[in-house]
Amino acid sequence: MKTMLINIKELIQVRETGILKVSGAEMAVLPTIKNAYLLFENDIISDFGSMENCPNQTFDELIDATGRVVLPTWCDSHTHLVYAGNRVQEFVDRINGLSYEEIAYRGGGILNSAQKLNETSEEEIYEQSKVRLEEVMKLGTGAIEIKSGYGLTVEGEIKMLRVIRRLAENYPIEIKATFLGSHAFPKEYKENHAGYIDLIINEMLPKIAAEKLADYIDAFLETGYFSVEETERIMIAGKKHGLIPKIHVNQFTAIGGIEVCVKHNALTVDHLEVVTDEDIIVLKNAETMAVALPSCSYFISIPYTPARKMIDAGLPLALATDYNPGTTPSGNMNFVVATACIKMKMTPEEAVNAATINGAYAMGVSNTHGSITKGKKANIILTKPIHSFYQLPYEFGSNHIEKVFIEGKLIS
Ligand code: NIG
Ligand code: FE
């Protein structure tokens, strides 16, 4: 099946040679072709260029994209999209003055979601989660990472990872799975951290590895959650089973977490609402990608990741949603891109790079996703008629997407 798009007003994020990520000043450069065509065959991009060189053949489908912009789909490298129920009461409690930390201290937060998850059947969790997945695909997400971490029991964690696998089997979207058993300490292990970490290492990890249920390992490295030393134990154990670390760190406090993540070659360090000058130096000398989650900052009113300072220091940065019931009940990457521009002072070019090629790197798929490159997946957003791609973040509350293709399939 050959699909041809012609008269594209501007084809965005065109990379002739496959790059894996962009850093620092490179992030301000977003290569495009004006008045372009794009051809894909089945699920793969096979050709693109200026309309002057458009091949004169017949195609199975011809789409006239006059006035419209085409860009690669978003790569959302950090989500907790699989969960049970909601935490709307905590949302109201925060409006009435409680902080996220106070709610968690009172037994709400992650433990609240864990209780709901363990009381809900695998089938029901799948049904609830697939609605969210279908929604974000229509919003232009074409590759997504999904974490466990609301089980916090052997059965609960495995149940979540099986739901993630079933989603990956049933939808034409690249899904990477991350094991986040170290999301919080269950109540019964509050005074016995070593006991819970033993459970993760001796019971959860071997089962997850045997069933090949995860690609990555995560932990919530934060004051009151997992310490630097505890997270280090988890990362070492995960790596023994082939799971690369992608770690929640520096959300509320800077306690030396980034350094230990880099020491263990973490693929990403995520959140980074609080970043020290030392953290920036550590990341400068690493292959680890920093991941910012601006809709989390927006929703729980915490600082935004200091993107300007980090990019100006030469670092790469990726953007992701953090879709979860507590801190970010939204999987809308369009909002993330707009918020990065509006609140973090990233230029539209930087934000698109962060949400496509760098997002792909942050989930280990930049060989196949994140840019318009021959041989990559035919993952494409076709906008409605717009004046330029700047309109996407500028009119932050509107949906400018007309069509989404994921692996060559029209998502409707
Ligand atoms: O990335 N910070 C840790 N984990 C999630 C939130 C978890 C929750 O509140 O359910 C996050 O923000
Ligand atoms: Fe998260």
Side-chain angles (χ1 to χ4, degrees), residues 23 32 63 96 99 106 112 129 242 245 258 292 305 342 359 373 401 404:
S23 308
T32 73
I63 298 172
N96 286 322
S99 71
R106 294 174 183 203
N112 180 357
S129 303
I258 291 179
T305 301
I342 297 161
T373 303
I401 296 176
V404 177

Side-chain angles (χ1 to χ4, degrees), residues 78 80 87 90 100 109-110 113 150 180 183 220 248 251-252 271 293 296 300 322 324-328:
H78 180 139
H80 311 247
R87 304 231 297 272
E90 294 179 9
Y100 179 76
I110 295 166
S113 284
Y150 292 127
L180 176 53
H183 201 186
F220 188 12
H248 282 75
Q251 182 175 6
F252 302 109
H271 272 289
L293 310 165
C296 171
I300 62 167
D322 199 16
N324 77 77
T327 68
T328 324

Side-chain angles (χ1 to χ4, degrees), residues 196-328:
Y196 185 56
I197 294 172
D198 286 344
L199 184 76
I200 291 174
I201 294 176
N202 300 329
E203 307 240 1
M204 296 185 191
L205 264 172
K207 288 205 170 71
I208 288 163
E211 280 193 54
K212 294 193 173 24
L213 284 170
D215 305 290
Y216 299 107
I217 187 152
D218 196 348
F220 188 12
L221 199 178
E222 183 57 66
T223 307
Y225 291 83
F226 288 76
S227 69
V228 168
E229 295 73 26
E230 288 165 347
T231 306
E232 191 162 26
R233 260 195 87 193
I234 299 288
M235 288 193 283
I236 292 169
K239 285 204 292 186
K240 284 200 184 123
H241 290 283
L243 305 185
I244 300 162
K246 271 170 72 64
I247 305 290
H248 282 75
V249 64
N250 287 44
Q251 182 175 6
F252 302 109
T253 55
I255 54 173
I258 291 179
E259 192 171 353
V260 77
C261 294
V262 166
K263 176 177 155 200
H264 289 283
N265 300 315
L267 179 64
T268 64
V269 283
D270 302 44
H271 272 289
L272 314 183
E273 288 86 347
V274 180
V275 179
T276 66
D277 292 343
E278 292 73 42
D279 290 331
I280 290 183
I281 294 167
V282 169
L283 285 169
K284 258 304 255 188
N285 300 311
E287 292 302 310
T288 302
M289 173 72 70
V291 181
L293 310 165
S295 40
C296 171
S297 299
Y298 175 83
F299 190 71
I300 62 167
S301 302
I302 60 173
Y304 288 88
T305 301
R308 241 341 347 120
K309 193 171 167 187
M310 295 166 75
I311 295 170
D312 293 346
L315 296 184
L317 189 68
L319 288 166
T321 62
D322 199 16
Y323 198 174
N324 77 77
T327 68
T328 324

Side-chain angles (χ1 to χ4, degrees), residues 11-181:
L11 181 61
I12 309 283
Q13 186 61 306
V14 173
R15 303 281 178 176
E16 295 284 349
T17 51
I19 48 154
L20 297 181
K21 62 175 176 189
V22 284
S23 308
E26 295 164 352
M27 287 188 66
V29 182
L30 186 66
T32 73
I33 303 175
K34 293 204 164 121
N35 194 23
Y37 72 90
L38 172 72
L39 175 66
F40 54 89
E41 294 182 37
N42 301 320
D43 60 334
I44 299 290
I45 296 172
S46 56
D47 195 13
F48 59 82
S50 161
M51 275 308 287
E52 287 159 25
N53 304 319
C54 185
N56 189 7
Q57 308 165 15
T58 53
F59 306 98
D60 301 297
E61 194 183 7
L62 184 68
I63 298 172
D64 185 353
T66 300
R68 292 153 173 85
V69 166
V70 169
L71 59 159
T73 53
W74 311 123
C75 298
D76 189 354
S77 65
H78 180 139
T79 84
H80 311 247
L81 174 143
V82 168
Y83 57 83
N86 63 68
R87 304 231 297 272
V88 75
Q89 185 54 49
E90 294 179 9
F91 170 59
V92 176
D93 291 344
R94 277 191 301 99
I95 294 170
N96 286 322
L98 285 185
S99 71
Y100 179 76
E101 283 127 311
E102 282 163 342
I103 290 167
Y105 190 72
R106 294 174 183 203
I110 295 166
L111 296 185
N112 180 357
S113 284
Q115 186 177 347
K116 290 187 166 73
L117 188 290
N118 282 297
E119 289 167 357
T120 308
S121 72
E122 188 169 321
E123 185 61 31
E124 175 59 22
I125 298 165
Y126 177 80
E127 289 300 319
Q128 292 182 16
S129 303
K130 81 174 200 198
V131 175
R132 291 186 280 269
L133 183 65
E134 288 173 13
E135 185 194 11
V136 301
M137 289 165 71
K138 284 184 207 141
L139 289 168
T141 295
I144 192 165
E145 180 259 18
I146 309 176
K147 301 171 194 298
S148 67
Y150 292 127
L152 310 182
T153 57
V154 179
E155 305 72 40
E157 288 296 308
I158 302 244
K159 184 160 81 173
M160 288 187 78
L161 290 166
R162 286 196 183 133
V163 169
I164 298 171
R165 178 154 74 189
R166 196 167 148 203
L167 291 169
E169 283 165 359
N170 292 347
Y171 288 89
I173 176 172
E174 180 72 35
I175 297 181
K176 292 286 186 189
T178 299
F179 169 50
L180 176 53

